[in-house]
Amino acid sequence: MKKATIEDVARKANVSVATVSRVINAQGGVRKSTEEKIVQAIKELNYVRNAVARSMVRKETKTIAVIVPDICNPFFSEVVAGVERKAIAKDYFTMVSSSNESKINERKLIQHIIERGVDGVVVTTADESGEQLKPLFDLKVPIVAVDRVIKNYQVDTVIIGNREGAYEAVRHLIHEGHKDISIIRGPQNTTPGYERYNGYVQAMKEFGLDIREEFIGDGDFREDSGYEIAKKFSQLDTPPTAIFSSNNLMSIGALKAIQEMNWKLGEEISFLGFDDIEIATFTRPQITTVSRPMRQLGEVAFQLLYDQLMEENIKERKSREIILTPHLNIRESCKRKIVL
C-alpha cells in the first residue's frame, strides 16, 4: 500500500497542509473541532510512521531525554548505560545530551527537548535551583533527578550517600594513622561537592583533628583542577600525608601530578578517591576508592520515571528520594602512617 502523506491527511480532513502541520507540531492556533478532524484523518490513513504524528495521535513519543553535565565522565556514561538498559526493555528510545556544566546550555537543551517532544526527562542538573527546568515543570513533563537534587521543585530523586561515603573514606585514613589529611573538594553549590566535604569535616572533627585551610582545595570535578590542587599540596612547607579526592576525574588529575613530581604514592603520600576509576587496579600501588553503583543509579532513575509515566494522577503523591549505598574499596594507596 502507498504510504500516506501529509497531503493525504489534509485532503481527508478538508484542510490545508499548513493546518495539518500546525497540529502535528503543536503550534496552536487551530480550532478544537478542526484538530479533531485531523487526528481522525491521521488514524484512518494510518499516518503514524512519522514520529511526530505518532506522538500526537498516541499522546506519547516512546522517547526519554537524559541530560548530564559531562558525557565524557565515565561515571555519567555508566549512569546513561543503566538508563538505556531499562528503557530498551520497556521499548523506550533514549536521547542523551551534555550540558557541559552550563546552566545556559541546559536551558537551550530543555527548549530543544520541548520542541522535539519527549515523554520524560532524567537529569543531572548544572544548577540545582532548577530555574532552567521550569518550562518542563510548566508543561508537566515527568522528571527524575539523578546524582544531584532539584531544590525548588518536588521531584523524584536518586542519589548516593555522599556524606556517608566521604566520612568512611576519611575515617579509614585516620585509622591508618593520618592526621594531616587534605581534600580536593567539588563545587560547593552541588550536592555531591557539598555533602562529600561535609563527610570529610565530620570525620576530622569526630577524631579531634584540625581542618587546615591550606589543606582544602577547591576543584570543579574536572581533571585539570585535581592536577593543579595536588601540585599545590606537594609544594606546601608542611605537605599533607594523605589526599582525599572528591571525584574520579579530579583523582586522575591528582594522580598525574603525584607521578609527575615523583611523590611516592603509598609511601610519601597516601591517596583515596571518591568514585572507582578504570586505572584504580592497574596502577602500582592500586588505588583505594569509594565506589558507587553507577549503572544501578541509572536503572533506578528510569524506573522512577517509568512509574510516573504509568500513573494518571502524579499530583496526588509525594515525590520520592532513593539513596543508594557507596562502598569503600581498600587497596594499597593508603599506607599506614607510622607515628613516632
Side-chain angles (χ1 to χ4, degrees):
M1 294 179 62
K2 180 184 175 182
K3 180 180 175 181
T5 66
I6 192 171
E7 289 82 5
D8 295 330
V9 174
R11 282 193 293 270
K12 182 78 172 177
N14 196 27
V15 297
S16 68
V17 170
T19 301
V20 175
S21 179
R22 292 188 67 82
V23 171
I24 289 175
N25 292 292
Q27 293 175 329
V30 179
R31 290 180 180 178
K32 183 66 175 176
S33 58
T34 302
E35 181 179 340
E36 290 173 352
K37 284 199 302 181
I38 293 171
V39 170
Q40 184 61 35
I42 287 173
K43 289 181 179 178
E44 292 180 5
L45 294 171
N46 196 29
Y47 182 61
V48 294
R49 295 175 186 251
N50 177 284
V52 178
R54 183 186 298 112
S55 69
M56 187 268 291
V57 173
R58 298 183 182 176
K59 304 302 181 185
E60 64 177 2
T61 66
K62 301 299 287 186
T63 301
I64 62 167
V66 181
I67 303 175
V68 296
D70 183 4
I71 195 61
C72 294
N73 185 328
F75 167 76
F76 291 114
S77 297
E78 286 293 306
V79 171
V80 170
V83 173
E84 287 186 324
R85 178 178 175 275
K86 286 290 186 178
I88 289 172
K90 298 292 185 181
D91 294 323
Y92 277 83
F93 170 76
T94 305
M95 181 172 66
V96 182
S97 301
S98 177
S99 68
N100 198 31
E101 287 284 11
S102 166
K103 181 172 68 173
I104 295 174
N105 288 348
E106 193 170 307
R107 184 178 288 114
K108 291 177 180 178
L109 290 172
I110 295 300
Q111 185 59 40
H112 173 74
I113 286 168
I114 290 172
E115 290 174 355
R116 188 189 188 284
V118 297
D119 294 340
V121 177
V122 173
V123 60
T124 302
T125 183
D127 178 6
E128 293 192 13
S129 72
E131 172 194 350
Q132 69 282 11
L133 302 173
K134 187 177 183 298
L136 292 174
F137 291 108
D138 289 344
L139 292 170
K140 298 180 176 57
V141 176
I143 299 173
V144 171
V146 60
D147 191 51
R148 301 180 187 178
V149 302
I150 298 173
K151 296 174 180 175
N152 295 334
Y153 295 92
Q154 294 293 314
V155 182
D156 283 353
T157 305
V158 54
I159 57 174
I160 293 292
N162 290 292
R163 184 194 297 251
E164 295 80 2
Y167 170 82
E168 291 296 332
V170 177
R171 187 175 70 167
H172 173 69
L173 291 171
I174 295 170
H175 283 168
E176 291 297 300
H178 293 278
K179 295 181 180 179
D180 299 324
I181 303 171
S182 62
I183 181 172
I184 303 175
R185 66 182 185 179
Q188 294 300 284
N189 61 346
T190 67
T191 296
Y194 177 75
E195 290 294 336
R196 291 171 201 172
Y197 176 62
N198 280 347
Y200 164 84
V201 170
Q202 179 185 347
M204 296 291 281
K205 287 184 175 180
E206 183 175 304
F207 288 88
L209 300 180
D210 292 333
I211 299 172
R212 294 166 53 180
E213 185 176 349
E214 65 268 30
F215 283 177
I216 300 173
D218 285 313
D220 59 5
F221 285 150
R222 296 176 186 269
E223 186 176 319
D224 286 349
S225 67
Y227 175 88
E228 294 298 333
I229 293 168
K231 194 172 181 180
K232 182 184 72 173
F233 287 157
S234 73
Q235 295 168 347
L236 293 172
D237 292 337
T238 305
T241 63
I243 297 175
F244 170 55
S245 174
S246 295
N247 92 321
N248 54 355
L249 294 185
M250 294 193 300
S251 292
I252 291 171
L255 290 169
K256 284 183 178 179
I258 289 169
Q259 182 181 43
E260 183 179 298
M261 293 177 293
N262 295 315
W263 207 3
K264 294 181 181 178
L265 182 64
E267 296 181 29
E268 296 176 324
I269 185 69
S270 288
F271 187 88
L272 198 158
F274 204 109
D275 284 336
D276 232 357
I277 53 179
E278 288 187 3
I279 64 172
T281 58
F282 295 106
T283 61
R284 292 294 179 268
Q286 295 183 353
I287 309 301
T288 299
T289 61
V290 178
S291 64
R292 296 189 276 173
M294 297 177 284
R295 290 210 177 194
Q296 187 182 4
L297 268 170
E299 291 173 356
V300 173
F302 177 79
Q303 188 59 52
L304 290 174
L305 187 67
Y306 185 73
D307 290 347
Q308 291 187 49
L309 294 172
M310 295 299 103
E311 292 175 8
E312 295 183 1
N313 298 311
I314 297 176
K315 287 184 177 180
E316 295 181 3
R317 67 163 177 79
K318 294 181 180 180
S319 59
R320 298 164 291 182
E321 181 181 75
I322 295 178
I323 302 176
L324 303 181
T325 303
H327 175 70
L328 180 62
N329 297 307
I330 299 174
R331 300 189 181 107
E332 303 158 356
S333 63
C334 298
K335 186 175 181 181
R336 184 166 184 79
K337 177 70 175 176
I338 298 176
V339 181
L340 300 177

